[in-house]
Amino acid sequence: MSNVGIVIVSHSPKVAEGAADMVRQMVGDTVPLAWAGGNPDGGLGTSVEAILGAIDRAWSDAGVAVMVDLGGAETNSEMAIELLSESRRDHVVVCNAPLVEGSVIAATEASGGSSLAEVKATAEELSA
Amino acid sequence: MADVLIEQLIGVAAQTVIRHADELTELDSAIGDADHGINMKRGAEAVLAELPKLKGKPMGEVLHASGVQLVMKVGGASGPLYGTLAMELGKALPASSTRADFAAALSQAIEAVKVRGKSDAGQKTMLDVLAPTDRAVAAGDAPPAIKARALAAAEATVPMKATRGRASFLGDRSIGHMDPGARSCALMIAAICDALGG
């Protein structure tokens, strides 16, 4: 698929899955989408391994925008991006935007074929 | 610092985190999300499980592999932060290193933690322990003095106001509590210094 992919990372698996449901309702299957929520034991937190898996599932040659909730989600997502292969690393960005609204608006932008930079900018307008 | 010691030093650091897990979680429940002890314990256990497989490997490789375990298993921001410290230390240390090599590598690793956390000393974080420890190591202090400096630095986070990390959400209410990351950092440094002796 040539549309930018979206990854949703939350401390809570329920929040991540719920936000992903809201994204699907808006854009259907036109955007590659995956979520990661919970620490390696399934409790509240985030997991670098799970984030890497989600980036892989939502992979698109147009790149992947990662939406995060709180501190650790951002730090773990940035760590995950650094662990990606060199060919993928530069095509994944973390967006500084509210998780739910940012995910929906980023996916909507992506569904129109926008570039990764455009998707990121649209999501981050919410924080401006 | 001989290669034979590195597993032992990582081991005592991991064990002290496990022993103090409840205390760290309690500190984190006051000004954070009450998971620092639980998270660090999960990471420390993963490191301890990995250590036997690293026997005889070069010091840099042992540190790097331990850092990867922390990154993968901790589940909070402290995973990438402590993981980066260990991985970068492993990367920066030459195979056979002098004390000066170690001091330089430590400074480099702490810089990487600052970048990873988008933070610096003065924000009520682990960096408030790492920065004075870095200076003590660079100054050539003996392990007991480095230990005392690290433990005092963690105590000195009590009156600070958090401006980074989950505690920063509390604003002024973060004042009066020790930062859990500063405490875990000081505990590990103290354990390592004890193992190194005087």
Side-chain angles (χ1 to χ4, degrees), chain A residues 1-4 30-31 62 106-119:
Chain A
M1 192 174 298
S2 57
N3 285 339
V4 168
T30 59
V31 172
T108 309
E109 184 71 29
S111 69
S114 297
S115 69
L116 182 61
E118 287 165 332
V119 168

Side-chain angles (χ1 to χ4, degrees), chain B residues 130-176:
Chain B
L130 288 175
T133 301
D134 186 27
R135 289 194 292 274
V137 171
D141 287 2
I146 297 170
K147 170 185 171 178
R149 182 89 80 97
L151 290 170
E155 292 288 342
T157 65
V158 173
M160 292 172 72
K161 176 176 166 177
T163 54
R164 187 82 180 108
R166 196 71 73 94
S168 66
F169 294 5
L170 276 75
D172 286 341
R173 284 185 289 142
S174 65
I175 295 168

Side-chain angles (χ1 to χ4, degrees), chain A residues 26-117:
Chain A
M26 188 75 186
V27 301
D29 292 330
T30 59
V31 172
L33 172 70
W35 59 267
N39 69 29
D41 284 342
L44 295 177
T46 51
S47 154
V48 171
E49 206 164 4
I51 296 167
L52 284 168
I55 291 172
D56 196 50
R57 290 196 300 283
W59 186 256
S60 158
D61 290 339
V64 173
V66 182
M67 317 303 299
V68 298
D69 58 5
L70 298 166
E74 183 185 17
T75 313
N76 273 327
S77 295
E78 287 168 352
M79 189 80 232
I81 291 169
E82 266 182 47
L83 295 176
L84 290 171
S85 66
E86 224 162 287
S87 60
R88 286 194 163 187
R89 203 177 298 155
D90 295 338
H91 303 282
V92 184
V93 293
V94 174
C95 298
N96 175 23
L99 182 76
V100 177
E101 294 89 333
S103 297
V104 174
I105 203 158
T108 309
E109 184 71 29
S111 69
S114 297
S115 69
L116 182 61

